[in-house]
Amino acid sequence: MRRIDYMIGGEDFQEMTAAQFMQADLYYCRRKTSGKQVASMITMGGFGSIPIVDIINKNRKLVGLISEFDLLKALMERKDLENIIAEEIMTRNPICVSEETKANDIISLLETKHLIRVPVIDKDGCLIGIVARRDILQGYLKSKDKPWWF
């Protein structure tokens, strides 16, 4: 669930942050997850990418990201997704934002880097959410709603 799902409307869109847009119920994989399992999660979940994490003291330390492009590249290189692991094909040090990143900064990042989703990390580099382009659009629409008491 996203916090924007609970918004009542009337917020200043320009002041909204990743914390308000992000999806906090996350799917993720570990370094040793097979390429086939990653591909299944991405296709079944309808995601364009999936974060790769190390679990440290119950925290999800972000170590990489696997996109559809990474999987397709592996296939083009004639790699068998059943015989490779996430760590071998993941993009290391993925582009991320913090909870405080403002809407326009997220939009700019998504646009200039041609991203669909971007991980949200805390000060320790732990994964706390994902913001997708459609989350931003939904936040914008919700910000324009007027509360019923106005």
Side-chain angles (χ1 to χ4, degrees):
M1 195 58 92
R2 298 171 298 246
R3 290 183 187 165
I4 55 173
D5 293 331
Y6 298 103
M7 285 175 48
I8 55 173
E11 288 83 357
D12 180 353
F13 178 74
Q14 304 301 321
E15 294 301 314
M16 292 175 68
T17 65
Q20 292 169 283
F21 299 118
M22 73 182 190
Q23 178 75 35
D25 298 327
L26 302 172
Y27 289 90
Y28 55 87
C29 293
R30 312 260 311 255
R31 291 178 191 254
K32 302 296 182 197
T33 304
S34 76
K36 182 180 177 187
Q37 288 175 297
V38 173
S40 291
M41 288 181 76
I42 285 176
T43 57
M44 298 301 281
F47 312 125
S49 62
I50 197 156
I52 308 302
V53 301
D54 285 340
I55 306 295
I56 302 170
N57 297 327
K58 297 186 182 180
N59 293 314
R60 301 171 293 208
K61 179 76 172 171
L62 184 66
V63 294
L65 191 78
I66 293 182
S67 69
E68 292 166 320
F69 290 120
D70 295 320
L71 291 164
L72 293 173
K73 182 180 175 192
L75 292 175
M76 288 290 293
E77 294 170 353
R78 300 194 186 283
K79 294 180 179 172
D80 183 350
L81 296 183
E82 290 185 53
N83 296 319
I84 59 173
I85 57 173
E87 185 172 44
E88 295 174 301
I89 59 173
M90 71 184 185
T91 299
R92 297 173 191 281
N93 304 312
I95 297 166
C96 302
V97 298
S98 73
E99 289 180 280
E100 296 82 26
T101 306
K102 300 270 187 188
N104 280 343
D105 293 331
I106 299 169
I107 293 168
S108 179
L109 181 67
L110 294 170
E111 180 184 19
T112 58
K113 300 297 184 182
H114 305 283
L115 301 172
I116 295 170
R117 303 163 24 116
V118 63
V120 181
I121 57 172
D122 66 14
K123 63 181 175 36
D124 298 318
C126 293
L127 181 67
I128 56 173
I130 296 280
V131 174
R133 293 184 300 203
R134 74 180 54 151
D135 298 329
I136 304 267
L137 292 171
Q138 185 177 3
Y140 170 79
L141 293 172
K142 289 283 246 178
S143 76
K144 296 302 178 189
D145 288 345
K146 296 289 184 209
W148 62 267
W149 57 85
F150 276 85

